[in-house]
Amino acid sequence: MAVLALIYKNTKVKAPKKRKMNRFMIGILITSVIILAADIYVASWAFFNMGRLPAGEYLTEETSPDGKFTLKTYVTNGGATTSYAVRGELVFNKEKKKKRNIFWNYREETANISWTDKNTVVINGHSLKVPDEKFDFRNQ
């Protein structure tokens, strides 16, 4: 009988320690995943979000053949340490939608825009189907 009491006592003591360790490890894992996800989100937002591009100086614009879209381009000067870049902004003429940046290319100062059809625009040699496609040199 004393042996059974000793076994019961030992298992009762060991089980809570194991449970506490499992909870601790799960807590560490969940916290690590949350911190990693937050870091990835912040880096993406800060460095790769086309909505955060600098405004720049107006260059030129071209309207699509059906008049549904207008593509406006701007040149940005990053200062002494970076080169010029061209930003292309798609404006929805017939719909009340927010303007979207669809083109961002580094080391360019001019923009050559041509519409090949009502939904395809070529900007400095890069063909885009509007309104869904984008070109961003940082993702190449």
Side-chain angles (χ1 to χ4, degrees), residues 33-50:
V33 168
I34 290 171
I35 289 171
L36 180 63
D39 286 347
I40 290 170
Y41 174 77
V42 168
S44 173
W45 174 81
F47 300 112
F48 296 103
N49 185 347
M50 288 187 77

Side-chain angles (χ1 to χ4, degrees), residues 77-125:
N77 182 0
T81 59
T82 59
S83 184
Y84 288 95
V86 172
R87 177 178 69 89
E89 177 181 84
L90 185 67
V91 178
F92 297 86
N93 297 331
K94 296 182 178 181
E95 300 175 31
K96 295 206 183 245
K97 289 186 178 180
K98 188 177 174 183
K99 299 182 257 185
R100 293 181 46 210
N101 290 319
I102 64 166
F103 183 81
W104 178 245
N105 205 11
Y106 190 58
R107 294 191 175 130
E108 291 184 343
E109 296 182 41
T110 61
N112 297 320
I113 305 168
S114 64
W115 290 88
T116 57
D117 61 38
K118 65 181 184 176
N119 291 326
T120 307
V121 64
V122 178
I123 313 163
N124 292 350

Side-chain angles (χ1 to χ4, degrees), residues 2 10 17 20 23 29 32 71 78 80 95 113 120-121 128:
N10 286 343
K17 284 185 180 180
K20 284 182 182 178
R23 286 183 183 167
L29 180 65
S32 299
L71 183 72
E95 300 175 31
I113 305 168
T120 307
V121 64
L128 300 172

Side-chain angles (χ1 to χ4, degrees), residues 1 16 22 62 67-68 81 86 98 108 112 127 140:
M1 187 74 159
N22 285 344
E62 289 290 329
K68 189 174 179 182
T81 59
V86 172
K98 188 177 174 183
E108 291 184 343
N112 297 320
S127 179
Q140 300 306 311

